[in-house]
Amino acid sequence: MATLLAIRGPITGARITLNDDSTRIGRTTSSDIAIPDAVVSRTHAIIRRQGHAWMLEDCDSQAGTLLNGTRLKGMAALSPNDEIRIGHSIFLFDSEFDLQNADFTDNSVYISSSQDETMVIEPVATLESGPRPDQDAPARQGLELLTELGELFDSSRVAFGDALKATVGRMGRLMQADVSLLMMYDFGAKRLRASVALASGDVLADQAVLRKVYTERKAILLSDKPEPGLHPAMKGPKPPKVRSVVSAPLVVDDSCLGLIYFERQELDAYTLKDLRLVQSLAKLLAVFVEARQKAEAATLKTNFQKSDSQLIGGSPRFRKALDMVRRVAEVPSSVLLVGETGTGKEMIAAEIHRLSEAGRHGRPYVAINCAAIPESLFEAELFGHEKGSFTGAHRMRQGYVEQAHGGTLFLDEIGELSLHLQPKLLRFLQERTFMRVGGTRVLRADVRVIAATNRDLGALVSEGRFREDLYHRLAVLPVEIPPLRERREDIRMLAEHFAQHYARSLSRSIVGISDEATIMLEKHEWPGNVRELANTMERAVLLCDGKVILPRHLLLPRVVHAGGSAPAATPEVLIDATKAFHPRNEPTQYLPLDEIEKAHVYRVLDAMNGNQVKAADVLGIHRNTLRKKLHDWGEVDTERPSE
């Protein structure tokens, strides 16, 4: 039996089964399908069955009957999903749409998948826009569109971002849209971001529409005036008063990657057929995007696994820490990384995973910041939750522990974990079992735990703010990460690395760092450690107006002392060393300048017990400059052990 699905008008949402012979449609209550609409004639149209075909006939109505947007003359055969417009009502003939998850209003229909997801999305303001799609170009055929989508796989032919822009542009032309958007969810920032925005000017997107499509995974068709309640009060420019919108989520399995959104500033510009088309395009695009993302992630993982350590440094303290890292990576025991903020604990944890058996076999590495998750949500985030376990839990969600099964779980800022939650983490560490919030089934996870803190957990234990048993469970293998001020030998190497990194990313031509700037970097105390150094070098690259980074580009305070503006170890050492030589104390005062320099350097070296680093500090030169001078003077190895 055939049906009519009302998608607009006074009986929106109704599905009517057609009579086996004929079905009369009109305004009177005696009609088989009665439409309370003054524009509709008493007997407006009839649908008859002729063999296996269904025929639509207009009964000389005053307003006429439209079939797929064309006024009907006489009779016409109907096909599935044909649109029939009678007055202000639109019907879909023999539609296969499943209404189980559909909601209707007078001018909108929402069709969703069977799975929902809720989350908070920050308001979306004016988005960057690209050039307006060529409205005069003919609509592309489906085969050409599939070819364009196929290019997403072919990284050798076109860049991924360019392919996305071209694909969304082609979709927009197909939809004859004034606005075409591709919004991708940024899992790091936890918000939707515009990957592609094509329009004639700035795009003003309504946060509620985008949120509804993404969080509820519902395809939306909006026509006529904006829906009440869907457009919150906004400052500045307002959305157009008349427009049509069609949008669909990019859903793959149980994950929503983002959404596509098309808008035309006309009345009734889109139909349910357009909605179905956009849904299909969104599903296809989602598959391609996910496949490309997985391919890129696999490439990055392969490069990561094949590469040597990304940790930079050769100072004794840092080498000692790295030796410990290599040893603990070989065993599955829990590791506690201790160090000041910015010392690189996150990178050390990733290095332990990379060197471990789990890292070598490509198993997951999951990192969470304990201080960034609200206490009320921490258990659900760590262990997951069952559907309906609390308000907003519309579906089952795996926690970080479950996601890290077979691999490594990194718990950063573990010292910030509340006393209320510490026993739950302790139980998991002891038994390697857990239950999702709201669940009754005991689950097991094989996870290697690495914790990190910048706080003194021993002191917290003494103060009763951290459980002693949890501390000992976490600190099976403690690794202390030295602060940057205790590994000054690594500063030059790190600074050059960051300078080149930011020069490449910011497209700046930087060839090096001056000796004076390097001395300033080496003498700075670096309370923010490596992170502060990285930020300083990024700023220096931005401020550098030449090829070489100079002291003025660093914006660091210059240390002033008895010997001038160059940094020194201590004023007392400097004064003693400078007294070690004076030309008038020599047998003759008429020595060549290079001999005076040579004699002074050797006397300072003797005063510093042969320590070249301290001697260079006193002399106000870089240690590499000192070593070059010594080499030129025929010295092969003059440096003595430092303290």
Side-chain angles (χ1 to χ4, degrees), residues 579-596:
K579 287 180 178 179
F581 174 78
H582 193 282
R584 295 185 182 278
N585 297 333
E586 294 301 303
T588 174
Q589 301 179 24
Y590 303 101
L591 294 174
L593 185 60
D594 58 341
E595 290 295 328
I596 295 176

Side-chain angles (χ1 to χ4, degrees), residues 249-271:
L250 306 182
V251 178
V252 179
D253 298 329
D254 62 345
S255 178
C256 187
L257 307 179
L259 60 94
I260 53 175
Y261 172 103
F262 302 103
E263 177 183 310
R264 196 191 309 175
Q265 296 175 13
E266 298 177 15
L267 289 173
D268 301 330
Y270 297 127
T271 66

Side-chain angles (χ1 to χ4, degrees), residues 160-179:
F160 186 43
D162 293 339
L164 280 179
K165 183 177 180 180
T167 302
V168 175
R170 182 165 290 184
M171 290 180 178
R173 292 192 292 273
L174 186 65
M175 302 303 298
Q176 298 181 352
D178 295 306
V179 174

Side-chain angles (χ1 to χ4, degrees), residues 429-472:
L429 292 174
Q430 290 174 334
E431 303 176 6
R432 290 297 193 260
T433 60
F434 67 97
M435 288 193 298
R436 301 191 190 106
V437 174
T440 57
R441 188 161 55 102
V442 177
L443 303 174
R444 179 173 294 276
D446 179 16
V447 174
R448 199 266 184 82
V449 175
I450 302 176
T453 182
N454 60 1
R455 307 184 67 179
D456 185 350
L457 292 188
L460 293 181
V461 170
S462 301
E463 297 169 6
R465 298 165 60 187
F466 201 88
R467 291 180 62 104
E468 184 176 4
D469 47 3
L470 177 59
Y471 169 67
H472 292 303

Side-chain angles (χ1 to χ4, degrees), residues 410-429:
F410 175 49
L411 302 175
D412 198 10
E413 303 295 348
I414 191 67
E416 307 301 324
L417 192 64
S418 71
L419 279 171
H420 170 69
L421 296 170
Q422 290 176 22
K424 299 177 181 180
L425 176 59
L426 175 63
R427 180 176 180 180
F428 169 72
L429 292 174

